[in-house]
Amino acid sequence: MTTPSSGKQVSPEDRQKYDQVFMQVVMSVQQQAQASRPPQPGNLAAMFHREQVTEALQGCAMLIAGWNAGRVDAAGVSRTSRALKALGEAEWAGRVEGLVNIDEDGKEAGEA
């Protein structure tokens, strides 16, 4: 059973229509997170960076699982966005946040 806070329901028609866009954003975010580097040298920076990359990747997994269940997972959006911002990837965080509106106003995620 899903609760309103679990995310936004997406119709099967919209899922089919926007599947390629959704998955492209998620795959690009995964690649961006994995390609990022710690902002400064040192063990503490490297540890923080690894934790944030892991958070971003786990958030992406939540997004994919939610999408497969017919919704844009709110917790996945939040987790991924927060991790990307911590990695200095605010633009990508904005794209993830835009996934909530993927089926609205004809505007696709990632559009400027």
Side-chain angles (χ1 to χ4, degrees), residues 94-107:
R95 290 182 186 187
V96 169
E97 292 164 358
L99 290 173
V100 172
N101 302 318
I102 195 168
D103 62 341
E104 294 177 8
D105 302 324
K107 186 168 185 167

Side-chain angles (χ1 to χ4, degrees), residues 1 3 5 7 16-17 22 28 32 37 43-44 46 51 62 66-67 73 75 82 85 90 99-101 108-109:
M1 184 165 97
T3 61
S5 63
Q16 183 176 3
K17 182 177 178 181
F22 184 92
S28 295
Q32 192 67 27
R37 298 287 172 248
N43 290 339
L44 188 58
E51 288 177 9
M62 293 168 68
W67 186 251
D73 186 83
R82 189 173 46 248
K85 288 176 183 175
L99 290 173
V100 172
N101 302 318
E108 295 178 359

Side-chain angles (χ1 to χ4, degrees), residues 9-69:
Q9 292 299 125
V10 180
S11 72
E13 296 81 20
D14 282 341
R15 273 192 60 229
Q16 183 176 3
K17 182 177 178 181
Y18 296 112
D19 186 64
Q20 186 174 357
V21 173
F22 184 92
M23 292 307 293
Q24 183 60 49
V25 170
V26 172
M27 298 296 283
S28 295
V29 163
Q30 289 173 327
Q31 291 173 349
Q32 192 67 27
Q34 290 174 322
S36 67
R37 298 287 172 248
Q40 55 193 344
N43 290 339
L44 188 58
M47 183 177 70
F48 176 77
H49 179 262
R50 277 191 305 272
E51 288 177 9
Q52 295 310 310
V53 169
T54 299
E55 284 292 304
L57 296 176
Q58 289 176 346
C60 286
M62 293 168 68
L63 287 170
I64 292 169
W67 186 251
N68 289 337

